[in-house]
Amino acid sequence: CTDTNNCGGITNRPLLSQTCTTGTEQVITNVTVTRVGTHGVLESSGVVASRAYPGVYWMIPDSGNPATLYAVSANGATIRSFTVGGSANVDWEDIAIDESNQLWIADTGDNGQTRTSYTLYRLPEPNPNLAATVTATAYRFVYPDGAKDSEGTFGWQGVPHVVQTRP
């Protein structure tokens, strides 16, 4: 929120719960800070809280590691690991969850900005307490203006959004 008149004089403060109105737009910001304990996910690249299983966090490893999804507890203990069928970990950078409990893994890392394509993997959130194989649907894409390094992603209204690191 940038309108200090309608936000109690508070502008863009992190870790804040507030509702403010700017013109015709209402912005609601609720942030809950959670600490995940020491975990065994090698070079963890992304983490997202489960929507269906309280206290479970989904983690993924960065490039050079297997295409594996980890269910981790708040204290960092690995509950279960899942090989993600139909995927490859070229340079996984982030994981997000949408309103339909679909996990989105962003294979969008490209520090050298040399890749010719990128992939978003969608998979249903698995039950972390059951041994199962998870299979992803791959969505390959290119940027119209060339290679980009993108290290973040989020799901909103059923659509994954990729956040570029630099233009």
Side-chain angles (χ1 to χ4, degrees):
C1 183
T2 57
D3 183 343
T4 57
N5 294 324
N6 292 326
C7 297
I10 300 170
T11 304
N12 292 331
R13 289 194 49 202
L15 310 178
L16 175 71
S17 294
Q18 70 180 5
T19 300
C20 66
T21 304
T22 58
T24 60
E25 183 177 305
Q26 183 176 18
V27 179
I28 300 172
T29 305
N30 289 316
V31 177
T32 303
V33 177
T34 302
R35 182 178 191 278
V36 176
T38 303
H39 56 81
V41 179
L42 296 175
E43 200 178 354
S44 175
S45 192
V47 62
V48 68
S50 170
R51 289 181 179 267
Y53 304 98
V56 172
Y57 300 88
W58 298 106
M59 297 181 86
I60 57 167
D62 204 349
S63 63
N65 292 291
T68 305
L69 173 69
Y70 295 88
V72 178
S73 68
N75 69 5
T78 299
I79 299 166
R80 185 163 319 282
S81 63
F82 299 85
T83 298
V84 181
S87 73
N89 184 349
V90 175
D91 195 354
W92 287 5
E93 290 299 347
D94 204 6
I95 185 170
I97 191 166
D98 67 19
E99 299 85 354
S100 300
N101 293 349
Q102 298 290 307
L103 295 172
W104 291 89
I105 297 173
D107 190 349
T108 56
D110 190 5
N111 290 337
Q113 295 183 308
T114 59
R115 291 178 63 178
T116 57
S117 68
Y118 306 89
T119 308
L120 288 170
Y121 295 106
R122 185 191 72 199
L123 55 143
E125 183 178 11
N127 183 331
N129 302 304
L130 299 176
T133 301
V134 294
T135 301
T137 301
Y139 297 90
R140 298 198 195 302
F141 67 96
V142 298
Y143 292 108
D145 56 345
K148 302 288 181 195
D149 186 29
S150 302
E151 309 243 348
T153 191
F154 64 94
W156 184 55
Q157 297 183 344
V159 177
H161 297 265
V162 176
V163 180
Q164 291 180 352
T165 306
R166 56 187 174 238

